[in-house]
Amino acid sequence: MFDLSFPALSTSFPADVMPVIAHSTFDPALPFSLTLPDRNPAAAMSGEARPRIIGHFTTLAEAMRGAIKMAEELEPDAGPRMVAVLDRDERLVLAGAAANGAVAWCAPVMTAAEARVVVMEASQLRAQASRAADWLESDLATRLRQRADLLEARLVDPLWRAFAARTLQIAA
């Protein structure tokens, strides 16, 4: 849901710390929200993980600029952070990896068949990451999970696929 207020992004935050945003009333004039994934393992395991909303925006272009501003405020040596733009119904509109002052947006899948392939590949990568963690190869497991996250970022909601693809073409 989009019931969180828009934070000022002018202040710098440490790489792994984002502001806690207070609840406010829903504003239909701001249909897009920029989010970060909730990496709390307990929330993920209980099924209660919710994306952390960084800000609300009127247009997709504004949300993309907000993601770039957030990426510029990350520590230079911080690893990539996944960001996602959701619509007011929490459907994925666009996602990418923020690092080094920029965002590498992921091209959305265009068909259901392509989405199935992405899901299968991401699932295989997560299984490999689990085995790597069992072998105490934490760096390899982390890299495999990041690759799976990047693949899954392509799973844009079918209603937004063409629009997101066109937006990325215009932005390029």
Side-chain angles (χ1 to χ4, degrees):
M1 297 301 291
F2 298 96
D3 59 349
L4 302 177
S5 64
F6 177 83
L9 291 175
S10 61
T11 59
S12 294
F13 303 108
D16 293 325
V17 177
M18 294 307 292
V20 176
I21 304 167
H23 288 277
S24 68
T25 58
F26 173 75
D27 186 355
L30 302 171
F32 296 98
S33 63
L34 178 63
T35 66
L36 290 171
D38 182 0
R39 294 293 185 193
N40 179 350
M45 290 178 69
S46 68
E48 296 178 7
R50 308 278 304 156
R52 294 185 312 184
I53 297 176
I54 303 305
H56 295 281
F57 301 89
T58 305
T59 66
L60 178 56
E62 288 176 7
M64 292 170 73
R65 283 191 293 274
I68 292 167
K69 179 142 179 71
M70 188 210 68
E72 289 171 349
E73 294 174 352
L74 292 174
E75 294 293 323
D77 58 344
R81 304 271 322 251
M82 293 302 297
V83 294
V85 178
L86 306 177
D87 69 4
R88 67 174 48 106
D89 295 320
E90 295 187 352
R91 293 180 293 229
L92 180 61
V93 177
L94 192 61
N100 299 325
V103 179
W105 297 105
C106 298
V109 296
M110 295 309 292
T111 65
E114 190 178 357
R116 283 189 295 276
V117 169
V118 166
V119 168
M120 287 185 342
E121 288 178 16
S123 178
Q124 291 170 351
L125 286 170
R126 292 200 186 281
Q128 291 173 6
S130 178
R131 286 191 299 274
D134 290 344
W135 298 332
L136 303 177
E137 294 287 343
S138 61
D139 290 341
L140 176 60
T142 300
R143 288 193 308 275
L144 290 168
R145 283 189 207 98
Q146 287 174 344
R147 286 181 49 201
D149 287 345
L150 286 172
L151 274 174
E152 289 171 341
R154 298 186 61 213
L155 297 174
V156 169
D157 188 272
L159 295 173
W160 289 106
R161 289 177 183 164
F163 183 77
R166 181 72 178 133
T167 301
L168 289 176
Q169 288 175 347
I170 292 170

